[in-house]
Amino acid sequence: MSLTKIANQFFLRRQRELERHFTHPDALQRDVFSSLIDKGKVTEFGRNHLMSAIRNYDDFVANVPISTYEELKNDIDRMRHGEANLLWPGTVKWYAKSSGTTNDKSKFIPISNDGLRNIHYKGGADVVAIYLRNHPESRIFDGKSLILGGSHSPNYNLANSLVGDLSAILIERINPLVNLFRVPKKQTALLSDFELKRDRIAKECVHKDVTNISGVPSWMLSVLVRVMELSGKEHLEEVWPNLEVFFHGGITFAPYRKQYEQLITSPKMNYMETYNASEGFFGIQDDPNDQSMLLMLDYDVFYEFIPMEEYGQEGAHIIPLVDVELDRNYAMVITTSCGLWRYMIGDTVRFTSKRPYKFVITGRTKYFINAFGEELIMDNAENGLAYACKETGAEIREYTAAPVYMDASAKCRHQWLIEFIKEPDDLKQFGDLLDKKLQEINSDYEAKRSHDVTLQHLEIVKARPDLFNDWLKSKQKLGGQHKVPRLSNSRKNMEELLELQNNT
């Protein structure tokens, strides 16, 4: 009997439990809500918000305010310095570093023991459970799992306390038994230099029997390109003939699908999307024929939603999961066992089903580019351009930016289309200054730009005078409240603008 057949026995109970997402979804969320309130009431945050008096959802709404990172930042920093029982019982020793806010380069999301066990690792195990349910012929445990991770560093030099990429924390704290099936070795997986890491991963894995790969599509593609270079093969299945699935998440897979299908031509190859973030593990694609994901309801995550047409308005309606409507865009609000209370994560979703609850990610609550995991937000762009203008004396009338997705050599960049009022003397210098400033104020952008491995130097395209006005006019959106979209993951607007520029 294969190791996968043996391992599958350990997932049978969980596979049966997951059926409650179809039969009793709302009851699962009620249980999570009660558990989180019961534990949270003993914390400083719980006492300050009278959690001991909360008996139902209405009490919760009345006593606990909606929060952003700015509201929780002081408590999180106290936790990072070793204070206990602030946002969650006990001492939290691990912090996932993600891209920052308007005022900070990075956010530090607390990862408690409960959150690690009942959200992040539970999500990872459920991905396997669901995959094996859908693919009973699988042999993933008969070979190795290539799992990409980031890096971590000491947190304020406190003993056994770490700050870094969530993936690095997960690898650091993972059950040692998992390392029997995982490549590369731990020391390689946690290297901070991605160029060095990519090369070492490829060399360690090229001759292994890899059956499954997990990671962010852009990072993984870069590694696979290096594997192909070392192997001299044309297709990845020639290197790893038993490769059968890519568990992917972090950024949208759509722009990369064609490249993966060109690299991996085997008809047995599968792709499975997950929605796992620093703040929690929220969704799993449970049906290979349905691109929407199953919302995971029995983790330590309680969900609320804000209709996007009301987002940012005073008195906006905030609703629990049971009240969501299909095909409506919502901003997601979470409460978790990591001490995030009614926390606006910044993602937007649309539900495609309510029994079970299934959804698709529709974007972010603000303009952004997150094509390669860089999470470039509007504030980053404005600050970067302001700096470049100040240093060069340039003045900008309009601009937009979009990603240029990876080519077959895993090269990619951001493309900025800028209409200048006053042009800089040296357009290259302007681009260098903008790129430098973006790295200074956004740690994720800085990481992706490291050594030009994942994200190349940005490209500046000078727009002709009145290009943006002409484009808005062509859409009957000239004047009034209409604005040029500043940042976008899609190239649709950019391609229309470039076509208009080239044809006039």
Side-chain angles (χ1 to χ4, degrees):
M1 181 180 291
S2 73
L3 286 175
T4 305
K5 293 294 184 183
I6 296 172
N8 194 37
Q9 302 303 308
F10 293 97
F11 292 98
L12 291 176
R13 179 179 176 181
R14 180 57 181 165
Q15 288 168 347
R16 290 191 292 268
E17 289 177 350
L18 286 168
E19 292 301 315
R20 294 197 69 200
H21 283 71
F22 292 73
T23 59
H24 299 86
D26 299 322
L28 293 177
Q29 275 288 273
R30 287 195 295 270
D31 291 344
V32 169
F33 174 79
S34 297
S35 175
L36 292 172
I37 296 301
D38 187 57
K39 293 179 179 178
K41 66 186 180 184
V42 303
T43 65
E44 180 180 296
F45 185 92
R47 292 191 297 271
N48 289 342
H49 294 88
L50 306 177
M51 280 192 194
S52 60
I54 293 177
R55 298 291 181 266
N56 52 45
Y57 177 68
D58 289 339
D59 293 341
F60 181 58
V61 172
N63 289 9
V64 182
I66 292 290
S67 65
T68 65
Y69 186 79
E70 297 296 338
E71 278 78 47
L72 301 180
K73 176 185 171 183
N74 288 339
D75 284 336
I76 291 174
D77 196 57
R78 290 169 61 195
M79 293 163 67
R80 289 185 62 202
H81 281 88
E83 291 192 52
N85 305 311
L86 295 182
L87 295 174
W88 194 251
T91 302
V92 177
K93 293 187 176 182
W94 309 302
Y95 296 86
K97 184 179 178 182
S98 67
S99 64
T101 64
T102 298
N103 298 322
D104 296 282
K105 182 175 179 177
S106 300
K107 293 183 292 188
F108 299 92
I109 306 300
I111 308 293
S112 67
N113 283 320
D114 287 330
L116 199 64
R117 180 178 61 254
N118 298 327
I119 301 176
H120 296 289
Y121 284 143
K122 192 171 184 177
D126 279 352
V127 170
V128 177
I130 292 172
Y131 179 76
L132 292 177
R133 183 198 66 191
N134 292 337
H135 301 276
E137 75 288 353
S138 172
R139 297 178 68 89
I140 58 172
F141 286 105
D142 293 87
K144 298 292 186 180
S145 300
L146 169 53
I147 303 175
L148 294 189
S151 61
H152 59 62
S153 57
N155 170 53
Y156 287 137
N157 296 315
L158 296 180
N160 301 315
S161 184
L162 301 174
V163 60
D165 295 330
L166 174 66
S167 56
I169 294 171
L170 296 178
I171 289 173
E172 184 66 51
R173 305 301 304 176
I174 204 166
N175 188 315
L177 289 176
V178 176
N179 290 322
L180 298 176
F181 301 96
R182 184 186 62 79
V183 289
K185 60 186 179 183
K186 184 176 177 181
Q187 299 96 308
T188 300
L190 297 178
L191 285 171
S192 58
D193 184 330
F194 183 73
E195 188 174 34
L196 175 62
K197 177 189 291 191
R198 180 185 66 158
D199 190 61
R200 288 191 179 178
I201 289 174
K203 289 177 178 177
E204 289 181 27
C205 299
V206 67
H207 298 301
K208 301 292 185 181
D209 180 19
V210 174
T211 60
N212 60 101
I213 55 180
S214 303
V216 176
S218 54
W219 289 96
M220 182 61 75
L221 184 59
S222 184
V223 170
L224 298 183
V225 167
R226 182 60 181 143
V227 169
M228 298 304 294
E229 290 172 352
L230 292 175
S231 69
K233 304 295 185 181
E234 185 176 357
H235 297 114
L236 196 60
E237 62 265 30
E238 298 175 73
V239 183
W240 299 325
N242 296 313
L243 180 66
E244 62 178 85
V245 62
F246 178 24
F247 303 113
H248 59 86
I251 57 176
T252 180
F253 185 60
Y256 302 94
R257 181 175 290 278
K258 183 176 180 180
Q259 295 174 72
Y260 274 89
E261 290 176 348
Q262 291 173 343
L263 186 64
I264 309 168
T265 60
S266 170
K268 73 176 184 179
M269 186 63 186
N270 300 291
Y271 298 91
M272 188 171 175
E273 185 173 8
T274 64
Y275 180 13
N276 52 328
S278 299
E279 295 86 353
F281 201 122
F282 309 122
I284 299 172
Q285 183 183 2
D286 71 318
D287 181 350
N289 299 313
D290 183 357
Q291 294 304 307
S292 60
M293 287 181 278
L294 182 70
L295 189 69
M296 307 313 294
L297 304 178
D298 61 351
Y299 299 178
D300 281 354
V301 182
F302 179 73
Y303 298 97
E304 296 174 271
F305 300 90
I306 304 173
M308 274 307 294
E309 62 267 25
E310 300 181 32
Y311 183 83
Q313 300 178 10
E314 187 175 349
H317 291 90
I318 303 166
I319 60 174
L321 180 63
V322 67
D323 291 333
V324 298
E325 301 174 11
L326 301 185
D327 298 319
R328 193 175 183 184
N329 211 26
Y330 293 100
M332 194 160 72
V333 177
I334 58 171
T335 294
T336 79
S337 60
C338 290
L340 301 179
W341 295 98
R342 304 196 78 197
Y343 182 86
M344 292 194 292
I345 189 175
D347 289 337
T348 60
V349 299
R350 174 174 54 82
F351 284 91
T352 61
S353 168
K354 289 191 65 172
R355 202 168 195 89
Y357 288 98
K358 299 184 74 171
F359 69 98
V360 294
I361 302 171
T362 54
R364 297 281 291 177
T365 54
K366 299 179 179 179
Y367 288 135
F368 72 104
I369 300 178
N370 191 31
F372 317 105
E374 66 280 327
E375 295 192 18
L376 190 75
I377 63 174
M378 183 72 174
D379 191 71
N380 299 154
E382 295 287 352
N383 286 334
L385 288 170
Y387 173 76
C389 286
K390 180 181 178 181
E391 294 297 310
T392 63
E395 295 178 29
I396 292 174
R397 175 175 283 117
E398 293 283 5
Y399 76 91
T400 191
V404 175
Y405 287 102
M406 287 186 177
D407 58 23
S409 300
K411 302 298 183 183
C412 59
R413 63 189 181 279
H414 287 179
Q415 187 177 53
W416 294 72
L417 181 62
I418 303 175
E419 181 181 342
F420 290 97
I421 299 173
K422 180 182 178 182
E423 294 181 24
D425 292 333
D426 186 340
L427 200 61
K428 181 182 182 302
Q429 180 195 21
F430 184 93
D432 290 342
L433 291 167
L434 174 58
D435 186 72
K436 173 187 174 183
K437 192 62 175 180
L438 293 177
Q439 292 187 57
E440 288 179 0
I441 59 182
N442 183 318
S443 58
D444 284 336
Y445 182 87
E446 179 184 42
K448 304 307 179 289
R449 284 283 295 114
S450 179
H451 300 293
D452 292 344
V453 175
T454 298
L455 189 62
Q456 311 300 303
H457 193 287
L458 58 82
E459 174 191 4
I460 304 290
V461 178
K462 187 177 68 174
R464 64 163 174 80
D466 294 322
L467 174 66
F468 290 94
N469 281 347
D470 290 346
W471 178 73
L472 288 171
K473 185 177 180 179
S474 72
K475 296 180 173 296
Q476 291 79 49
K477 292 184 177 181
L478 190 62
Q481 297 299 310
H482 301 296
K483 298 178 181 178
V484 174
R486 299 303 198 193
L487 305 177
S488 177
N489 253 4
S490 167
R491 285 194 56 80
K492 181 177 182 296
N493 294 336
M494 179 67 78
E495 294 296 344
E496 290 179 359
L497 283 157
L498 291 174
E499 183 178 5
L500 183 62
Q501 170 145 303
N502 292 333
N503 291 337
T504 54

